[in-house]
Structure formats: structure tokens, C-alpha cells
Amino acid sequence: MTSHPAEPPEPPLDLVLVGHGMVGQRFLEAWTEQPGARRRRVTVLAEEPRPAYDRVHLSSLFDGRTPEDLTLCPPGFLAEHGIELRLGDPVTAVDRAARTVTTRSGARLRYDDLVLATGSAPFVPPVPGRDAAGCHVYRTVEDLDAIRADATRAVVAGGGTGIVVGGGLLGLEAAGALRATGLTTHVVEFAPRLMAVQVDEGGGRLLRRRIEELGVTVHTAAAASGVATGPDGAVRGLLLSDGRELAADLVVFSAGVRPRDRLARDCGLAVGPRGGIVVDEHCRTEDPAVLAIGECAQAADGRVYGLVAPGYQMAETAARALAGRPGPGFTGADTSTRLKLLGVDVASFGDPHGTAEGALDVLYSDGRLGVYRKLVIGADGALRGGVLVGDTDAYGTLRALATAGRPLTVPPEQLVLPAGSAAAGPIALPDDAVLCSCHNVTQGAVRAAVHEQGCESVAAVRKCTRAGTGCGSCLKQLTTVVTEELAATGAEVGTGLCEHFPQSRAELYEIVLVTGITTFSALVDRHGTGEGCDICKPTVASILASLSNGHILDGEQAALQDSNDHFLANLQRNGSYSVVPRVPGGEITPDGLIAIGEVARDFGLYTKITGGQRIDLFGAGVDQLPAIWARLVEAGFESGHAYGKALRTVKSCVGETWCRYGVQDSVGLAIELELRYRGLRSPHKLKSAVSGCARECAEARSKDFGIIATSAGWNLYVGGNGGTTPRHADLLAADLDRETLIRTVDRYLMFYIRTADRLERTSVWLERLDGGLDHLRAVVLDDALGIAAELDALMARHIDSYQDEWAATLADPDRLRRFASFVNAPGTPDPAVTFVPERGQIRPARPDEDGHVLPAPAPVLVAGPRLEVLAK
Amino acid sequence: MTVEIHDGTRWQPVCSLDDLQPGRGVAVLLPPADTQVALFLDRSGALYAVDNRDPFSGAHVLSRGLLGSRSGRPTLASPMYKQTFDLIDGRCLDEDTAPDGTPAVLRRWPVRAAAADCAAAADSPNPRNSRKEERA
């Protein structure tokens, strides 16, 4: 300690933040990370009644999210850092001479430093009637609550129409929200196209068509001239500048935003010509005690940024400046954007309008596919910017090229054409283009890893450069670059499965089919090398299971399975397992539910409903699995194959049996399909669903095969996917009768199993398949390859030889032997697998927690979670 | 044949060779400190014993991994996040350090299959089993 006890401690300086929006919160986070942050007392004065929330995702409140889901202020954050937050008490005046602020409630606070983060306000055109009941803006949780209330009233009263004034980014967001409430939706845009700031005329035209296909009516080059009101003073319609009147129950103004700079104006601080508090590159105003950040500020480059990323950069800049460690400062930001509006992908980057002298456009447009790409090429041959609508996959590559700003090394048309953009994209990147933004790894660094440091695989490059080890979103591009570079060095880049097999999975399948080989040893000895690995062993196990259908734990096959298949359960993070009994079609009797509940209760397991309409039981030790399954099998359940690359579930809606809208028995069909394909081993997991009408409540089009009822039969959709790369399934055949439907699915599945790569979902397989959907149709419906009979026979064999893996395991002492926690102490639970109670159930203990080992099950039934009894 | 693991002081019998399946492993609790060891038998009949704890997840699951080979060296793939370890020197071939900053190297335990006459030791009262009875 250096201070003398006699000296009074220095009084802390007062830092006052005005506004607790996204940028305000980021400022607080950045500030608390600064050395010496504790020496200032921080007070936040906020206008809204709730702490900072994610305004960017405001529309998700219409998808069932709650305001709490959107909060950005972690619990305990304010208390931990001694920050005082006063909600609902905005600042009304600043006295710079006295260094005080006054709030609406009359409080006066002294400041040493003042940070203004008041954001922006929606611009409402000054048209008559704009304050009528039913007129809204789209900025806060309260705004959305009000919109929802009006919309619900209108929809309940029978229909209802909502109009959004403004066809920009926020306007289209709002239109999506109105549409989601069930309102007939119109968008009125003053400019001749939608999203005029970001996209050009061609992109705007395509965007408009895609949005109109969703049932939203778009009026461009039209201004709102007044709001028509009824005798009750509420909105009745919107008057347009061309004389038309659109009937409406509510109007949302979303025609841009204006910086909220009134506090600064009133205390004499300079503001820009179009608003925005003037700040320097460290976000200080002309008064060094006052800073401004985010949308209320005009940055050092003279621009007001309406995006959150530049606001965040300003927040961090201001925090550093206040801590006395000014860094490079904020001198402007890239406003490239990529987003999904009403389900349509839109991106723009660099200079999308080609404003620079001598700039030329390269265009590709395919109205059929709904894809539009425009690149702006500078006079020097460098990529300057562009617009992408409908397909934004190339955004990362193209944006990196545009920021690099050097002449292109490939003809620009290659970058916009569908095949060209993918093939030529990565290799066309300059070496200083950043591939992995998490760890800031450039393409040059990746190439050097291959050429100079001898990395021979993506794994080696990841290890060496850390590229792709953050969020992982660059992995696809990284793999392409590494493969290209390896090929360039002359290294052989095979399509082989792994170092042990030069063949692809599909080729191995053909070998097994033709030779009748039944063991991994025989296959690797005759057609491969070495001992195998965690890639080829499970793959071969899956092929053997698809073709010969013996029990997967029999003989040598047992040694090939991934841990999950080996124990017929799903490994969880602490080494325990979860168990999922099959619930075909999601239909379950009360007795079945009770049986599952009793098993979970007696073994003290954590229970959770899955997305596939089943029940997952967590926390089982390996040695508990047979006892758990003995109870489940006795109650009539069988393995749900949640652990396998196999059919998982066939989800269903309740269908015509109960539903007022259903036109077919979706539950019955789902059960029939699930029982038909259960246990079918495949290159990756398979999911399915059956919807009883076009409302599609079972989400069949996000499945590997999905069926939607029509009044004339069944529509079959294939190649859908959810997860990270969602894909809507394609219609393979329409209005099929039940028999044709099942035969078609049989062939589709067997053809996929036969030709797909390892871990290739049907969505990827279908996109890769030569000839695509037409070819698939020709194979499964018209037998173009002459293999239909063979595919049918393989499926028949699968169905005939199906047995429940768990019932068969329980009946065989040899197979049961593996379910021992320790070979020299079977029945002793793993002492490292411990649990703590949470919300009335168990969860794995974290390393710093003192958890309890789940005890071996006792034969007596004890009510209540067992752990509660044990808890200290 | 009895499989024995050397705990640094002496050879401890842990199971019968028949308990092992080529290509797969079992977990062993090694007295006196209840150390968890993963024990494997490969296709050629070679035995390997390494830590059962996976340094990347902290879970004791390596005995449930898959045996294989990489460039001719015997390997073990973790069932959790699939990192591959060299069974000869215990080193992780995919990443050098675990998330906690420690080197990602598994301890290797000497292991042998002893002839039947040594197996008498295995029949002596097993500390694990007697403890189990106490619990019951």
C-alpha cells in the first residue's frame, strides 16, 4: 500500500451515461474493462422502462420471443460493477457550465464526464392525421406491443389491413411482422424501389417480386399524403400522393430515423447539417467533458451511422478515450450488410451504386431462380462493391475482395455466374483477404501454412494458424483454399474416405454390395490399409448395417461403432448418457407417458421433450442403461435410434382425425412410415414429418423427407434440412396415393444410402447429385437406371429383418457385458460423473461445483428426485 | 490370461484377457487412489493402457473411444470431440494443448497379459467388490 492513512481518499469522479440502448450497454461493458474504471462512479439515465435490449432483433417478439429473451444486460452486471441504472427517467437538460444534468423527475446530477447515447428516433412524415389512433412507429418493445394489440383486434374482427410507410430495411422488417400477425400487408415506398440505400434497380425489382410472392403488396414511387380517420378518430386508411386511398386498420411509419440530438442542440453543442452531435475521432464533442456515441452522433467522417456495428466501435472508442488510452479512434466504418428480410437474402457491400468515376457494372440475373447479382468494377479493374439478392453465399468472398481493392485476377463474370462464383471465389482472393475473422487469419497465412510449414490437411492448418477454430463459419472456405493449395503443390487430394480407404463411401458401398464382405477386417485388409480410424470404422459399420442388417453389437461390428452406437445411447458432456425411447409419430398413450415418467423418477434422470416429439432421459451411467431399458422394453417401448446415423423420427401434426383443417390422417401415416424405416442405417441421420394439410404444422419441408396431405393424396418433399444450413425440401411428386408414396420413399432412401458420402445429409446430396431433382425423379419414379427392383428388395430385406436393438441386447448376456462402468468394478458408478439439482431435476455439476454421484438404482420405488434426498 | 497394469509400484491384475474385445476398450479403477485407466486390445493382440480422462472435455470417457491408426501408428479417437491420440507416446495428434492450457498428453501405463499361474493374484479379495457390498 502506498497511500497514507491520514490522507482522505480521493472522491470518485462522476461519469453519467445518457441512454441505455445497445450502444450504451456496449459502452458500459467496454468501460468496465478499462484499467481504473472503478475510480469513476457510473450513473445511467434511461428513458425506456427496461434495461438495454437487442433492438436489431425486435421483430422476433412476433415469433414468440419475450422482451427478456432480448435483454443485453446480463444479470448482476450492473451490481458487480457498481453501476446505478435509473430507468424511465430521461435527461431533459444539460447545464455544461455547472456540469449537471436534469432528469424528467427533476433530479439533478453532477458529472465530470458525460456520455450521450440517445440513439435515434423514427422519422414520421408530417402528414395530416399522423397522430391518429392506429398510427405507430417501430422502435421499442412498447411500440411492438401496441402494434400487436391493434393487429390482433383487426384480425379478430375479420381480416384487417396494415400499411407500412417506408420500404427500407426497417420497413420490410415491420412488414414481415405485420404479415406474421395475419394482417393483409402493404408497403408504401417513396423511392422507385425497395431498400433504395442498399440495392440497385435490378436488385430492388427482384426483391419486390420475391416479397410480393409472399402476399405483401408493394407500392413504390408513392408517398403518404395523409392518414384518413373514421368518426372515432382512428385510422381508416392511408392517402397516397397519387390520389389513391388504401383502406387500413393500422399504419406503421418506418421511413428512416433521425438522430436524437436535442439535448446537445439545447446546450449549444454543434450538430451536423442533417442532425447528429458533431464529435471527433475519439467521440468527444467540442466540450471535452461531453462525448457522444452511436446513432445520435455525427462521426469524424461527417456521417451518421444507423447500424449497430459502427455504434459499438464508437462505444469502445469512447471508453478508451475516457480511460486516457485513446487508440486509433473512429474515423468511419464499412456499411456492408447481409440480412434476411421476409425470408429473402439480401446483401450489399462496398460502393453498391457505382458512384465512382468510370465504374462499370457486371450483372447476373435469373428471375426463375430468384437470384440477382451485381458487381461494381472500378476503372482500375478492382472490385468496388455490389448487390446480391436471393443468394448471398458469395458475400464473404466478394466483400473481402472489395475491401482489398486491387485489380481482379479473374474475369469478373466468373464471380457472378452461378458455377463461377463458387469455383473461382476463394482462389481469386488476394493474400491479405481475411478468411477467418475470429482469429484474423488471412488467406496468405493459410497458404503459407501449406507451402512453408508443410501442413497437409485442414486439421493441420487449423492447428497451425487457428483459422476456423472460432465460430467455424469459415470452415467451408478454409477447406476449399487448403484443398486448392494442396493440389497446387502437387499433393494428391483424393476423394477417399480417409487415409485407410482411397474409395469414397459410395464406392465402398458398391464393394460391399458386390463382394458380400461382412467384416471391417476383411474390407480394410483387401481394399484399404492400416487399422482404420474414427472416420472409416463407423462408416463401414453403417454400410454393413444397411446391407446385412445383423445386430450392430454382434461380433466385430461392435468394435466399429461410434461410442453412441456402441452403448445404444447418447454420450453427454460429462460422460453420462441419455436415452430416447421411440414414440412413433409422436403419439403416446397416458400409460406410456406414466411408464417413462416412472423410469425417469426411479433412476433420478433429467427429462426433456425433444424437437422430434419424444422424451429424452438424461444422466444415465453406462451400467444403468440395461436396467433402464429392461423397464422401458417391459412397458412396450423400443430403441428410438437417437444415437445412430439412422431414421430418427417421423413427426406429425394431429391431422384430420381431430383438426378442423386436416384433410388426411397424418398421424397414421407418420406411424406407418416410422415403423417401416426404424433402424435403417444411413450416411447421416434421417428425419421426417407428415403434415395433415397445407398449413404444414409438422414442418415437413425442413426434413429429409416430408409429406404434406392434399385433398387428392400426398405430396412428397425431399432434401429438406433445419439446423445450421436450413433448406426447404423440394417437391418430388404430388398427389400420390399411399402405396405409390411409400414405394417412392423406399427407393429415395435406398438410393440416397447407396450413393451419398459419409455424413452427407440428403439436402447436400441432392444439391450435389448430377442432374439434381429431375435425375432423382427419373430414378425413383421412372426407373431410369434399372435399379428400382434392387432398391425395393433392399428395403424389403431391411423391414423383414428389423429387430429392436435394445430388446435383442437385453436377451444376450454377451452383448450386456460391455455395459460395465469399470471392468474390475462393475456397478461402481464413475466417481467423476456428478450432478447438482436445478429446477427440481439434476444437471451435470460444473468443475467448480461439489456434485453428487447418481446412485445405482435400488429396486424400491421412491417418489421425488433422488438427488434431493442426498443434497447436503 | 490375466491383464495386469503397472501402477508405478507393482503390477495389478485388472481383468481377464477374454474381457477385452479387439478394437475397443474398457475402463479400469486402479487402487489405491481410484485412478481411472482406459485399457485397449487391438486387432494384432497388443495391449494399451492410458488415462481415461479426456483432456479436452474433462470427462472420463476415453475407454469408449475407437482404436485406429494414423500413418502406421496406433491411435485412439476420443468419443467426445474426436481428437486423436497416439497410443505409443500418448500425445494428441490434433491439438497440442487442452483448453485448460495443459499439454494434451495422456499418461501411458505399462500393461501386460500374464500367464494363468499369475492369475491367482487376481482372485484375491478385490477391494472394489468388497466396497460395493458395503454400499448395498
Side-chain angles (χ1 to χ4, degrees):
Chain A
M1 299 294 274
T2 51
S3 64
H4 297 282
E7 273 177 9
E10 238 177 84
L13 296 173
D14 278 302
L15 170 57
V16 173
L17 170 66
V18 183
H20 196 220
M22 299 177 77
V23 171
Q25 172 64 18
R26 176 55 70 98
F27 168 79
L28 292 176
E29 287 165 14
W31 168 253
T32 53
E33 286 163 13
Q34 302 297 324
R38 282 273 172 190
R39 285 200 292 277
R40 278 188 177 79
R41 192 162 53 198
V42 183
T43 310
V44 187
L45 301 168
E47 177 177 36
E48 288 188 56
R50 67 189 80 242
Y53 54 88
D54 183 356
R55 219 185 288 282
V56 172
H57 292 105
L58 203 55
S59 297
S60 67
L61 293 178
F62 284 98
D63 306 331
R65 299 258 224 125
T66 64
E68 288 66 42
D69 294 333
L70 296 183
T71 187
L72 290 174
C73 192
F77 170 82
L78 298 170
E80 183 190 336
H81 296 286
I83 296 170
E84 185 192 352
L85 170 63
R86 298 192 192 175
L87 293 170
D89 195 15
V91 170
T92 51
V94 177
D95 182 340
R96 289 200 286 131
R99 289 205 178 175
T100 59
V101 294
T102 308
T103 70
R104 189 166 61 192
S105 70
R108 267 172 92 89
L109 281 85
R110 217 191 61 78
Y111 67 81
D112 294 289
D113 294 291
L114 180 68
V115 177
L116 300 173
T118 45
S120 56
F123 170 67
V124 179
V127 296
R130 64 179 188 163
D131 297 323
C135 284
H136 299 275
V137 293
Y138 199 86
R139 198 181 87 94
T140 66
V141 169
E142 284 67 32
D143 292 339
L144 264 70
D145 284 345
I147 291 172
R148 196 197 331 243
D150 276 1
T152 310
R153 207 172 302 128
V155 171
V156 169
T161 301
I163 300 180
V164 176
V165 178
L169 203 152
L170 255 173
L172 294 183
E173 245 337 287
L178 290 191
R179 182 174 165 269
T181 63
L183 286 176
T184 303
T185 306
H186 293 255
V187 172
V188 174
E189 167 59 44
F190 177 72
R193 61 175 182 274
L194 294 173
M195 287 187 74
V197 179
Q198 289 88 1
V199 310
D200 61 345
E201 196 193 328
R205 202 161 43 225
L206 179 70
L207 183 62
R208 175 183 185 148
R209 216 194 70 216
R210 296 276 303 258
I211 285 172
E212 289 191 323
E213 279 169 9
L214 298 169
V216 175
T217 312
V218 177
H219 312 266
T220 51
S225 60
V227 174
T229 51
D232 58 350
V235 171
R236 197 193 65 211
L238 186 74
L239 304 164
L240 300 186
S241 50
D242 58 12
R244 282 184 294 159
E245 180 182 341
L246 303 173
D249 300 282
L250 69 98
V251 174
V252 177
F253 288 103
S254 190
V257 294
R258 296 289 181 268
R260 299 181 76 198
D261 53 13
R262 195 188 53 78
L263 284 176
R265 287 177 192 265
D266 289 353
C267 70
L269 287 170
V271 296
R274 304 188 57 196
I277 308 161
V278 174
V279 296
D280 65 11
E281 70 266 34
H282 298 298
C283 300
R284 285 195 195 274
T285 65
E286 57 191 314
D287 178 344
V290 183
L291 290 82
I293 54 178
E295 298 183 8
C296 68
Q298 177 191 291
D301 62 349
R303 296 177 63 182
V304 176
Y305 288 92
L307 296 171
V308 73
Y312 279 176
Q313 288 175 38
M314 292 173 88
E316 282 152 19
T317 303
R320 282 194 304 267
L322 275 177
R325 328 163 41 230
F330 179 84
T331 54
D334 182 15
T335 52
S336 300
T337 36
R338 174 191 199 173
L339 54 147
K340 208 184 195 88
L341 286 169
L342 287 154
V344 183
D345 289 304
V346 181
S348 86
F349 57 95
D351 169 16
H353 301 300
T355 49
E357 172 128 11
L360 294 169
D361 294 348
V362 179
L363 271 182
Y364 169 79
S365 175
D366 186 334
R368 208 168 32 102
L369 292 174
V371 171
Y372 176 89
R373 295 194 190 95
K374 182 184 88 169
L375 300 184
V376 175
I377 310 294
D380 56 354
L383 180 63
R384 292 290 168 207
V387 177
L388 309 171
V389 179
D391 172 13
T392 55
D393 281 357
Y395 172 75
T397 307
L398 294 174
R399 182 188 168 187
L401 275 174
T403 35
R406 277 197 306 271
L408 291 171
T409 54
V410 294
E413 59 271 23
Q414 257 193 43
L415 298 175
V416 293
L417 289 173
S421 64
I427 208 71
L429 279 178
D431 273 356
D432 53 1
V434 173
L435 278 189
C436 167
S437 51
C438 294
H439 294 297
N440 200 22
V441 183
T442 61
Q443 164 157 294
V446 170
R447 292 178 54 176
V450 173
H451 289 295
E452 287 155 35
Q453 296 173 60
C455 294
E456 289 176 352
S457 65
V458 175
V461 170
R462 291 179 70 184
K463 187 173 169 182
C464 170
T465 63
R466 299 184 71 208
T469 59
C471 71
S473 65
C474 64
L475 266 180
K476 195 176 153 202
Q477 207 171 358
L478 180 70
T479 307
T480 315
V481 172
V482 171
T483 311
E484 300 267 1
E485 288 307 310
L486 282 173
T489 63
E492 195 175 317
V493 191
T495 55
L497 196 56
C498 60
E499 70 168 73
H500 307 100
F501 286 101
Q503 303 87 349
S504 67
R505 182 195 170 277
E507 288 164 341
L508 285 177
Y509 182 98
E510 295 299 324
I511 289 173
V512 173
L513 184 69
V514 171
T515 61
I517 286 175
T518 56
T519 65
F520 178 81
S521 292
L523 192 65
V524 76
D525 289 345
R526 271 189 247 164
H527 298 277
T529 52
E531 291 297 306
C533 63
D534 60 318
I535 290 171
C536 60
K537 280 181 161 182
T539 304
V540 170
S542 159
I543 294 172
L544 294 174
S546 302
L547 284 173
S548 56
N549 221 317
H551 194 282
I552 65 160
L553 297 189
D554 275 352
E556 201 205 57
Q557 270 219 59
L560 305 178
Q561 307 291 352
D562 259 334
S563 181
N564 283 354
D565 270 313
H566 194 60
F567 292 103
L568 307 171
N570 289 50
L571 179 65
Q572 302 298 333
R573 65 181 313 134
N574 64 346
S576 66
Y577 284 86
S578 79
V579 166
V580 187
R582 181 169 302 290
V583 180
E587 184 182 85
I588 187 163
T589 62
D591 282 341
L593 273 176
I594 290 168
I596 291 179
E598 283 178 346
V599 170
R601 184 192 59 202
D602 295 346
F603 287 84
L605 304 175
Y606 169 83
T607 51
K608 174 125 182 29
I609 308 288
T610 72
Q613 304 185 332
R614 319 201 271 190
I615 300 169
D616 209 340
L617 315 174
F618 290 79
V622 270
D623 45 354
Q624 291 181 305
L625 292 171
I628 289 170
W629 271 104
R631 293 271 303 275
L632 290 171
V633 168
E634 194 190 342
F637 288 100
E638 60 175 27
S639 167
H641 294 100
Y643 46 80
K645 304 290 179 241
L647 178 83
R648 297 284 171 84
T649 67
V650 183
K651 194 174 156 179
S652 69
C653 69
V654 76
E656 68 159 356
T657 321
W658 292 89
C659 177
R660 288 178 289 151
Y661 303 110
V663 294
Q664 301 273 3
D665 174 16
S666 49
V667 180
L669 180 66
I671 293 173
E672 182 177 350
L673 293 174
E674 184 157 345
L675 295 181
R676 185 175 182 84
Y677 303 124
R678 62 187 167 181
L680 181 66
R681 290 306 205 269
S682 49
H684 210 312
K685 61 186 170 191
L686 284 170
K687 296 183 178 182
S688 177
V690 182
S691 278
C693 78
R695 281 179 176 72
E696 241 287 69
C697 295
E699 296 162 328
R701 288 192 69 193
S702 66
K703 305 298 181 191
D704 295 284
F705 59 105
I707 293 119
I708 301 177
T710 67
S711 44
W714 303 96
N715 283 355
L716 172 58
Y717 293 85
V718 295
N721 198 6
T724 26
T725 45
R727 181 183 191 275
H728 254 101
D730 295 317
L731 181 65
L732 185 72
D735 294 333
L736 300 173
D737 60 55
R738 204 171 175 109
E739 191 190 337
T740 315
L741 170 77
I742 289 174
R743 190 177 64 229
T744 310
V745 176
D746 282 359
R747 293 176 184 174
Y748 161 70
L749 290 177
M750 274 302 170
F751 187 51
Y752 160 67
I753 290 170
R754 183 168 184 162
T755 56
D757 257 337
R758 165 188 170 267
L759 296 186
E760 188 174 45
R761 288 294 290 270
T762 54
S763 55
V764 181
W765 168 75
L766 188 57
E767 301 231 317
R768 181 181 62 87
L769 194 66
D770 262 350
L773 195 63
D774 290 337
H775 177 63
L776 178 63
R777 227 176 251 135
V779 172
V780 299
L781 293 172
D782 311 326
D783 196 12
L785 294 182
I787 57 169
E790 197 179 333
L791 298 178
D792 292 345
L794 285 168
M795 187 57 85
R797 191 162 84 188
H798 162 75
I799 294 158
D800 286 346
S801 56
Y802 169 82
Q803 52 174 342
D804 172 28
E805 283 163 9
W806 262 110
T809 300
L810 291 172
D812 183 343
D814 226 34
R815 290 175 189 155
L816 281 175
R817 273 170 58 205
R818 83 193 54 225
F819 295 93
S821 52
F822 297 101
V823 69
N824 60 341
T828 304
D830 179 349
V833 175
T834 58
F835 300 92
V836 295
E838 185 173 86
R839 295 188 293 274
Q841 299 203 67
I842 58 162
R843 70 156 167 82
R846 304 195 180 100
D848 55 342
E849 286 175 328
D850 186 16
H852 298 273
V853 174
L854 207 61
V860 279
L861 305 184
V862 180
R866 195 71 61 79
L867 203 76
E868 298 296 315
V869 181
L870 275 178
K872 284 175 188 168
Chain B
M1 300 280 275
T2 300
V3 179
E4 299 181 338
I5 294 177
H6 199 270
D7 64 8
T9 322
R10 63 188 182 92
W11 287 100
Q12 291 206 37
V14 293
C15 65
S16 158
L17 193 58
D18 296 339
D19 290 334
L20 301 179
Q21 182 178 23
R24 288 231 82 111
V26 295
V28 172
L29 264 189
L30 212 56
D34 278 358
T35 314
Q36 290 199 31
V37 178
L39 171 64
F40 301 89
L41 177 69
D42 75 7
R43 279 208 297 161
S44 70
L47 287 162
Y48 304 95
V50 296
D51 286 339
N52 194 30
R53 183 180 180 276
D54 170 23
F56 294 95
S57 63
H60 292 65
V61 294
L62 289 182
S63 63
R64 304 174 215 155
L66 272 178
L67 287 197
S69 67
R70 195 182 277 189
S71 309
R73 288 172 75 92
T75 58
L76 164 67
S78 166
M80 197 61 87
Y81 301 120
K82 313 293 180 196
Q83 285 90 354
T84 296
F85 297 89
D86 186 323
L87 280 171
I88 303 290
D89 58 17
R91 278 188 321 112
C92 178
L93 298 172
D94 296 324
E95 289 171 61
D96 291 331
T97 44
D100 63 4
T102 57
V105 183
L106 304 178
R107 173 169 172 184
R108 291 202 62 250
W109 305 73
V111 58
R112 69 181 184 191
D117 55 341
C118 300
D123 295 332
S124 63
N126 184 322
R128 304 302 318 170
N129 285 334
S130 57
R131 204 169 111 187
K132 198 177 122 206
E133 278 149 26
E134 278 163 34
R135 297 168 57 94

